[in-house]
Amino acid sequence: MTAYDPENIFAKILRGEFPCHKIYEDDHVFAFLDIMPRSPGHTLVIPKAPARNILDITAEDFAHVARGAHKIAHAAMKAFKADGIVVQQFSEPAAGQVVYHLHMHVMPRHDGVPLLPPATKKEDTAVLEGHAEKLKAALAQG
Ligand code: AMP
């Protein structure tokens, strides 16, 4: 497997070298909005530890990411009055991975509304700003 590349875009976001719509952070994970959301509120949860994907992350760091996704899923249900949640993680090109810092997708779903295909549209910053505020408010409610 190819080695982890510290110049990947999510590593730059973690280091504060590239902007993002941050939702949540703790000692182990960081969560921010996907810029091409497949549903409103589509969030990415990433480990702070460098890991390309599920094939090189430690079980412990993967558990931290899962815990983060669990937290975001509950907040997203509230924030978007969602009917359900999709959680996805792709490892290696064969699986559809395009950014090589492990990330878990958390996507709120509504009955009868299909997910957009990946990379359909770069969402407007103002729209993402609004989604981030809703998610952060729901997280703050606990
Ligand atoms: P994957 O196919 O799991 O590797 O998905 C990568 C995801 O990262 C896609 O959903 C992209 O829309 C998203 N993405 C790419 N660049 C950025 C960025 N700078 N900020 C937020 N999301 C991004």
Side-chain angles (χ1 to χ4, degrees), residues 9-10 13 18-20 32-38 42 44 89-90 96-100 103 105 118-119:
I9 189 72
F10 293 173
I13 286 174
F18 198 84
C20 75
F32 57 102
L33 291 181
D34 196 299
I35 41 164
M36 292 183 275
R38 298 186 61 193
H42 181 171
L44 302 172
Q89 193 281 314
F90 306 129
Q97 185 176 15
V98 297
V99 177
Y100 296 100
H103 49 281
H105 298 260

